[in-house]
Each structure stands twice: as structure tokens, then as C-alpha cells.
Amino acid sequence: MKMRSIMACLCLASWAAAAPVGDAKNWKLAFDDDFSGKVLDQNKWGYNYPWGSIHNHMAYMDPAHVRVADGKLVIRAVPERHPKATDTAKFEGKVLKVPYQAGAVHTKGKFDFTFGYAEARLKVPKGRGFWPAFWLLPTDGGWPPEIDVMEILTSNPKRSHVALHYGKSWRDHKSHGRWAERLPDLSADFHDYGVHWTADFIDFYLDGKSVHRVTDRAAIKMAEKPMYLLINLAVGAWEKTPDDTTVWNNNYYEVDWVKVWKPAK
């Protein structure tokens, strides 16, 4: 969730099929959650961030804001300061206040992979103030690399951001990033966000169509390590700070399913 973007223009239709790119015979399903139970499957997911409840935005993560209902993972944000929150979040070198709460889940310690196709069907909240994301981080705890499959700043719901962050350390990291814009309102319905990760390229997909391809093999090599999945609802920071127009009630980040395929060979 640290990208710099360049612009692309792409118009897409809704995509409903859950399938990896290319010939299905080349893939084997390695991870699958359709959230059909009544609670989060903690054999697959952990709550919050692996390092705690605070990251680079203005919300404190709390499991109370994550639930499974009606076949979906549902994450909400609330305009209340958590009693354990501290104003220690940082974004682009600036210290942020943390007056909100939200939720996050991850698969660290439960599932990771190197190379494959990861996809999730997601619906983001509407209106100003939110920064939902679907991304990958290395299991070894280092940064970079990072692969951002989807980041949306909800004040502009017709634009989706993707990126590969790479480098020898956080001090000298670089990014291959792009955004697709002039899209349908992504907060109005579910859409499929995917990434095809290989040793030669990383292809980002929205509703079954490629929106960006990274072919810098040196950069991709730096990301060649096991990575886990994260899904989180951030507030403010890169996105505009919530204001009186922000909708808090019944305005959720929803996940229909998450799947990862690995190469069959």
C-alpha cells in the first residue's frame, strides 16, 4: 500500500467467473475461501496486521469490525477512536492521528506462495475516506517487496491502482505501478481483482482483463520469495480524510471469495 501511479485508461465490464488465466490444466487450486461459514476460518486467516493494529493510515484494526455473513467477509470502519490507539501511524514520513477503527485479515503463518495466480471478488465502500486493498507481503517480514493487487481511494471509485514495490531496503525502494481509470463505479458492485505472478512477468487483472504488466526481471527477482495475502480497509492517509459527507453506516468492504492457484508442474 505504498505505490506511485502512472495513468492508463481502460473500460471494463463485470466479470463473474472464478478461474485462473490460460489453460486450466496448467493450474492447481492451492487456496480457496468462499466464506460459507458463520465465522472467519482461522485455519486460513488471522486478524489485524501480522505486526499489530496500526499501519500507515488513520484507523486502528480490531477484529470486532470483521465478520462473516451471508457468504461474504464483511469489513467495516467506524468513526470512533479505539481506547488502545496511539498516534504513531506514519504515511510518507508524516505522523498521523488514529481517530478511527476498521479491520484487516491476513494469511501469514497459514498460507503463502511463490508464483501463481491470486484473485478475489470484492466490493469496496462508497464515498470519501476509505482505502480498501488486496495485497501480498513476504512471509520473512521484510519490506520491500510488496505486490498490490488492488488499491482504491474511494473518493474516486472509477480508478483502481496496482503495483510491484521492490528494492534492497525500504530506504531505496522503487515501484512499477499503474492505475486503470474511467472505469465503472467500482463501489456499485463486485469486481474480480487478480495477479498472475511468474519469474518473467507480473500481470495485474481486473474483471478478467489485464490492466498492467511488469516485465522488469531484476525487479521481479527481488520479489521471488513466499508471500501471504492481506485484505484490509484503511482510512485516510493516501485517501482523503473523512469529513461530514463520509458514509459510515451500512457501507462495507465485502469479499465474496479469495482463491490462489499454483502452477500444476
Side-chain angles (χ1 to χ4, degrees):
M1 294 173 62
K2 300 175 183 284
M3 71 170 292
R4 298 291 182 275
S5 303
I6 59 177
M7 186 173 71
C9 174
L10 186 69
C11 295
L12 299 168
S14 181
W15 180 260
V21 295
D23 191 335
K25 293 184 294 185
N26 295 331
W27 298 100
K28 60 180 179 181
L29 187 64
F31 181 91
D32 182 12
D33 198 345
D34 62 3
F35 304 104
S36 57
K38 295 183 179 180
V39 297
L40 186 70
D41 185 346
Q42 294 189 60
N43 291 316
K44 297 179 178 179
W45 302 97
Y47 288 104
N48 302 339
Y49 300 114
W51 55 86
S53 294
I54 291 178
H55 187 34
N56 61 346
H57 58 89
M58 301 173 69
Y60 184 94
M61 301 289 105
D62 190 315
H65 305 304
V66 177
R67 61 188 173 93
V68 173
D70 301 320
K72 298 177 182 66
L73 175 70
V74 182
I75 304 176
R76 69 173 183 173
V78 297
E80 300 173 9
R81 183 178 175 89
H82 194 280
K84 295 183 179 179
T86 57
D87 294 331
T88 55
K90 292 183 179 180
F91 181 72
E92 295 187 336
K94 181 180 179 181
V95 177
L96 303 174
K97 293 185 180 300
V98 185
Y100 308 109
Q101 298 179 46
V105 296
H106 67 86
T107 66
K108 186 174 183 181
K110 303 170 189 292
F111 172 79
D112 60 17
F113 71 108
T114 306
F115 304 143
Y117 185 78
E119 189 172 70
R121 186 160 178 81
L122 310 167
K123 183 176 183 232
V124 302
K126 62 185 178 182
R128 174 175 174 146
F130 307 112
W131 176 10
F134 171 39
W135 45 310
L136 314 180
L137 280 180
T139 301
D140 65 15
W143 194 92
E146 173 181 324
I147 298 175
D148 295 322
V149 187
M150 178 277 276
E151 295 184 274
I152 293 173
L153 308 182
T154 57
S155 58
N156 186 354
K158 296 184 177 182
R159 175 185 290 175
S160 179
H161 304 256
V162 300
L164 166 66
H165 302 283
Y166 65 99
K168 294 180 180 179
S169 71
W170 66 270
R171 293 181 182 275
D172 66 354
H173 91 276
K174 300 177 182 178
S175 300
H176 286 299
R178 194 171 196 173
W179 66 66
E181 65 172 9
R182 301 179 188 175
L183 302 170
D185 181 347
L186 297 172
S187 69
D189 204 349
F190 284 88
H191 294 271
D192 297 355
Y193 302 87
V195 62
H196 184 194
W197 173 22
T198 78
D200 298 317
F201 63 84
I202 297 177
D203 242 344
F204 297 90
Y205 285 84
L206 172 54
D207 290 334
K209 296 183 179 181
S210 177
V211 296
H212 184 46
R213 171 173 279 204
V214 177
T215 57
D216 181 345
R217 291 191 181 184
I220 295 169
K221 184 68 175 178
M222 293 183 182
E224 192 174 310
K225 56 177 65 179
M227 292 203 187
Y228 62 92
L229 309 172
L230 296 99
I231 296 174
N232 73 295
L233 179 56
V235 179
W238 193 22
E239 162 61 3
K240 295 178 180 178
T241 301
D243 64 9
D244 291 343
T245 69
T246 299
V247 178
W248 298 97
N249 294 328
N250 301 314
N251 192 26
Y252 305 122
Y253 184 17
E254 299 178 78
V255 185
D256 192 3
W257 45 256
V258 182
K259 300 177 186 291
V260 179
W261 293 265
K262 293 182 180 181
K265 296 181 180 180

